[in-house]
């Protein structure tokens, strides 16, 4: 059975100009111990998906219009704030992009870790402190005993993200949601944090949902990938297959427009146009105005995610034509 | 190929439909949907109307004594009653409103000019910053009303001197606020771009910094109006404002204080007028801040 | 060979940090060496990539080269003329030749000016009247960067990030400069839009014969657009070479670590790659009181005794390939 099972989830926001859906009809699951990558650009709804799962969206203005989020036999969308607090921590934990604003600047980091443990467990002060030190050691903070009494501003960005991970691990979560965990970090630090996340998965067996705009991060970490565009899942696939045989024109475009570290290309293949704002999404397929393979029919129907190969699904009505066009010698 | 194919078009083929135009117009539209702002505007609007229309809506001279008619309660011939000299309270309060508004406008104007000038210079030119700000700090170290009392006591009571005193008290505070926004704006990349294009200091201040510093400034000035009205009333209550018998709210209240038990309306009516003015201005200012302050807007 | 368009010699920028005295004079306090003794040449028509992690001083260096910041020490030559000591009037004339494109498409455009006023401003500063001729120039430039003429009368908030970046590019090019500093010009954009802007920058370079200093932290974008690439660490250039050489055979341990840290573009064989990867531990130290000797020695897997004491000079290890590392100079 899946650890987390999301079915037909639609979340909307009330705005000045009426209700706008941020994510639409999202369905996917995460298995225990799996790393699921969710890729998308701004406005794709990837962060809203995570925040909906965590119950962290302020309601209003946010509103879950339909769907369910099953975790541990419970539908998280139906739980009260009190019940959700019991899930957050030991059930699902989350880390964010900006480790500076996620930590409270006026408390020592040891205190912040111990507070999280205390919220879910009764421990003696001695045992509490030992646990916190262990956690800091586990996330690779050097001389953790001494670091316990540091304030967040005394740490570097990478170390702060490690502390955030330690806090997330404090209650041994079964699912860790990492929302752009390395976007604010330099590339050498990014590599360290990604290594840490994968080591922790191997060691603790927790599942990780890693949300990113960076295809490289996905290639490096994920077992399975969801590609989101303008609030909808457009493709879902095991990671190797996604990079070997992407189906959706948007996924292909994303893979093509990133320059290579190894060889030269005279010109980058750009996706024309820009991302639609949530309130101004086109009719039919959301990607249609930017798609090289769009046909009149694309404007009429909203393509649904359908399986094209085992575990590999895409939401595009033109896949046969695209495959034929690709097969033709240019 | 059908017309939905965008590849032939320029990359901005998916350009958005035109939206709201000038940013100021957009702000104005949001303002007129803001209930708090509208209530404040309404309250202050009443007082401003009374002030402007004073010569036409008062029949009795505010300073005409009529010992026969003293201590008349509201209602009757005198709609708001009379004071201890039989002067029409309606006339006095309306003319007092005019004086309050004149003082408010003058103090706001002084601040708009000198507060902006000092704040912009201090924020933009680091060399003068320290000198200006130390003087500023020294002035701000006095409690506002004590400083105003000291200055008017020194200069002597008169309307002009009240304006001057309130200017000296509040300009440093306005300058601080302007300076804070200028320091942020100076580091904006569009300012850097103007420097890179060869723009001089004057051009940068006029085109890039001051227009963008206006929003917090306008909010500050609306609160300042309220403080000025309140301070003026305090000063004339203490006998340091416009010389009696000039009708000011502070003067009326000072004179009414002795008759609080027998003729409570003398002190209550200007008191209520003062309260409504300050309340209205503060609501107006809060509304402006909600609409104009980008920090609050992002959180929505 | 022809002479470089931009040349920096022993360029430094130090910022004083710490408590200020009563009237702003710094009392004691520390010195942040953002750029420390950097020399480089940029040839006409080339793109020099400048990479490094945040805080390495790459952005400061870019701004020193076009004198948006005053150097603490050293000189900048633009087209053979020293611009370090120029008086404001001559400096303004020189500024026609060099412009900058910024990272943040939101902070780089004045929200209270129309697109036309924004793009026209450099012309007006340099004496043009805001008349029909100037407007035509602006319209032509907007069209050249991929915006329609209708964009002219609108305000920045009506545009997406990529379109704003086009406006910023139009503003930088309206004076027909020869040298452009692209300071993380595509870093804040979504990847699908980033490629459009990279292509646009390359097209414009070809058409107008531009010279670029392309500052970025994304190593693959820098490789794509650059001819030569310089790697910066804690205020110093540690390696500079033609891009093919630098990416295929990096010499400095820091460059090697940087390249190894970039996520691979394909998941195949990632477990093996992870095991084999050269990793650097820890973070870049602060540029306030940087480590003595080679600045990278605190994180370098090959650090030797000499590295802790003597700063290695940036020396030519092969024709056109410069690196600053004792490992390389020792054997020569």
């Amino acid at each position: 059975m899946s650890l987390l099972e999301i079915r037909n989830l639609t979340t909307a926001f009330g705005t000045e100009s009426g209700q706008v859906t941020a994510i639409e009809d999202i369905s996917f699951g995460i298995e225990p111990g799996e790393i699921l990558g969710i890729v998308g650009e701004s406005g794709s709804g990837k962060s809203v998906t995570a925040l909906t799962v965590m119950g962290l969206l302020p309601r209003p203005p946010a509103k879950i219009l339909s769907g369910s989020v099953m975790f541990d036999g419970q539908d998280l969308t139906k739980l009260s704030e009190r019940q959700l607090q019991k899930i957050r921590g030991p059930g699902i934990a989350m880390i964010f992009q900006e480790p500076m604003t996620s930590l409270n600047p006026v408390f020592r980091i040891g205190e912040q870790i111990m507070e999280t443990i205390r919220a879910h467990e009764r421990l003696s002060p001695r045992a509490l402190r030992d646990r916190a030190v262990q956690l800091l050691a586990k996330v690779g903070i050097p001389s953790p005993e001494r670091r316990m009494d540091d304030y967040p501003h005394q740490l570097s960005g990478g170390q702060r993200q490690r502390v955030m991970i330690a806090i997330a691990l404090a209650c041994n979560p079964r699912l860790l949601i990492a929302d752009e965990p390395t976007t604010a970090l330099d590339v050498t630090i990014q590599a360290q944090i990604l290594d840490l996340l994968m080591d922790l998965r191997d060691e603790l067996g927790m599942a990780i949902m890693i949300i990113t705009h960076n295809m490289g991060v996905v290639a490096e970490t994920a077992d399975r990938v969801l590609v989101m565009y303008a609030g909808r899942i457009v493709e879902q696939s095991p990671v190797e297959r996604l990079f070997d045989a992407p189906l959706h024109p948007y996924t292909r475009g994303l893979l093509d427009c990133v320059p290579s570290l190894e060889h030269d290309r005279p010109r980058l293949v750009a996706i024309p146009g820009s991302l639609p704002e949530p309130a101004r999404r086109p009719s039919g397929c959301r990607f249609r105005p930017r798609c090289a393979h769009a046909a009149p029919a694309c404007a009429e129907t909203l393509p649904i995610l359908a399986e094209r190969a085992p575990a590999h699904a895409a939401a595009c009505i033109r896949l046969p034509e695209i495959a034929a066009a690709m097969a033709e010698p240019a | 190929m059908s017309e939905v194919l965008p590849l032939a078009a320029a990359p901005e083929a998916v350009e958005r439909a035109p939206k709201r135009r000038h940013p100021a117009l957009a702000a104005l539209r949001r303002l007129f949907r803001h209930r708090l702002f509208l209530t404040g505007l309404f309250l202050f609007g009443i007082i401003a109307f009374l002030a402007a229309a004073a010569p036409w809506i008062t029949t009795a001279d505010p300073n005409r004594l009529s010992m026969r008619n003293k201590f008349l309660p509201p209602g009757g011939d005198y709609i708001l009653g009379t004071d201890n000299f039989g002067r029409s309270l309606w006339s006095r309060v309306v003319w007092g409103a005019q004086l309050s508004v004149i003082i408010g406008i003058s103090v706001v104007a002084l601040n708009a000019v000198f507060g902006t000038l000092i704040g912009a210079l201090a924020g933009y030119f680091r060399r003068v910053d320290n000198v200006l700000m130390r003087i500023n700090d020294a002035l701000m170290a006095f409690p506002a009303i004590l400083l105003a009392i000291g200055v008017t006591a020194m200069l002597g009571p008169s309307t002009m001197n009240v304006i001057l005193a309130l200017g000296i008290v509040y300009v440093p505070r306005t300058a601080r606020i302007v300076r804070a926004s200028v320091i942020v704006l100076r580091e904006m990349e569009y300012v850097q771009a103007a420097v890179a294009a060869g723009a001089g200091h004057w051009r940068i201040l006029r085109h890039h910094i001051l227009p963008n510093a206006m929003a917090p400034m306008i909010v500050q000035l609306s609160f300042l109006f309220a403080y000025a009205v309140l301070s003026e009333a305090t000063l004339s209550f203490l006998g340091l404002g416009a010389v009696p018998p000039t009708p000011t709210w502070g003067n009326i209240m000072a004179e009414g204080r002795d008759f609080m038990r027998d003729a409570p309306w003398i002190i209550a009516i200007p008191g209520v007028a003062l309260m409504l003015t300050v309340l209205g201005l503060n609501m107006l200012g809060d509304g402006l801040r909600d609409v104009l302050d980008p920090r609050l807007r992002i959180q929505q | 060979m022809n002479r470089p368009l931009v040349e920096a010699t022993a360029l430094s920028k130090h910022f004083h940090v710490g408590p200020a005295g009563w009237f702003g004079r710094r009392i004691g306090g520390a010195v942040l060496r953002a750029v420390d003794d950097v020399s480089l040449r940029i040839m006409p028509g080339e793109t020099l990539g400048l990479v490094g992690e945040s805080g390495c001083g790459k952005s400061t260096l870019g701004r020193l080269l076009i004198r948006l910041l005053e150097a603490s020490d050293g000189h900048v030559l633009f087209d053979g003329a020293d611009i370090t000591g120029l008086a404001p009037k001559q400096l303004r004339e020189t500024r026609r030749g060099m412009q900058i494109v910024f990272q943040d498409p939101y902070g780089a455009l004045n929200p209270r000016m129309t697109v036309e006023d924004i793009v026209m401003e450099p012309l007006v500063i340099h004496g043009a009247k805001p008349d029909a001729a100037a407007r035509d120039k602006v319209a032509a430039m907007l069209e050249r960067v991929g915006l329609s003429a209708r964009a002219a009368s609108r305000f920045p908030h009506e545009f997406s990030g990529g379109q704003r970046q086009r406006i910023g590019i139009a503003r930088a090019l309206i004076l027909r400069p020869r040298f452009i500093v692209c300071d993380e010009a595509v870093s804040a954009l979504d990847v699908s839009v980033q490629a459009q802007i990279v292509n646009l920058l390359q097209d414009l370079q070809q058409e107008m014969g531009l010279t670029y200093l392309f500052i970025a932290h994304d190593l693959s974008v820098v490789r794509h657009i650059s001819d030569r690439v310089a790697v910066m660490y804690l205020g110093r250039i540690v390696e500079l070479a033609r891009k093919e050489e630098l990416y295929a055979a990096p010499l400095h341990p820091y460059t090697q670590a940087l390249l190894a840290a970039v996520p691979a573009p394909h998941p195949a064989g990632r477990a093996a790659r992870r095991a084999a990867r050269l990793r650097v531990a820890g973070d870049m130290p602060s540029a306030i009181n940087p480590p003595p000797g080679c600045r990278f020695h605190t994180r370098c897997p090959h650090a030797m005794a000499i590295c802790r004491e003597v700063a290695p000079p940036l020396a030519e290890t092969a024709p056109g390939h410069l690196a600053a590392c004792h490992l390389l100079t020792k054997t020569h």
Side-chain angles (χ1 to χ4, degrees), chain B residues 11-12 15-16 20-23 130 134 188-190 192-193 195-200 203 207-208 211-212, chain C residues 22 24 68 92 95 99 102 104 107-112 121 125-126 146-148 154-155 157 159-160 166 171:
Chain B
E12 59 157 353
E15 199 177 317
R16 311 177 207 177
R20 285 179 243 125
R21 276 297 164 102
H22 197 286
N130 283 289
R134 290 307 81 78
M188 293 300 287
E189 287 187 338
Y190 56 79
Q192 297 288 305
V195 174
R203 181 178 183 90
H207 286 265
H208 296 290
N212 287 294
Chain C
W22 267 31
L68 263 186
R92 175 180 297 198
R95 287 204 186 285
Q99 287 294 310
F102 294 97
D104 176 12
L109 306 176
N110 186 340
R112 285 173 199 277
E121 187 178 26
I125 289 169
H126 287 275
L147 292 164
S148 72
R154 303 221 211 132
F155 286 89
H157 70 96
F159 295 88
S160 67
R166 291 174 195 271
R171 172 180 59 194

Side-chain angles (χ1 to χ4, degrees), chain B residues 255-273:
Chain B
E255 287 164 12
R257 189 175 45 171
D258 297 337
F259 313 104
M260 226 153 67
R261 188 160 301 172
D262 304 315
W265 58 88
I266 303 179
I267 196 164
I269 289 165
V272 169

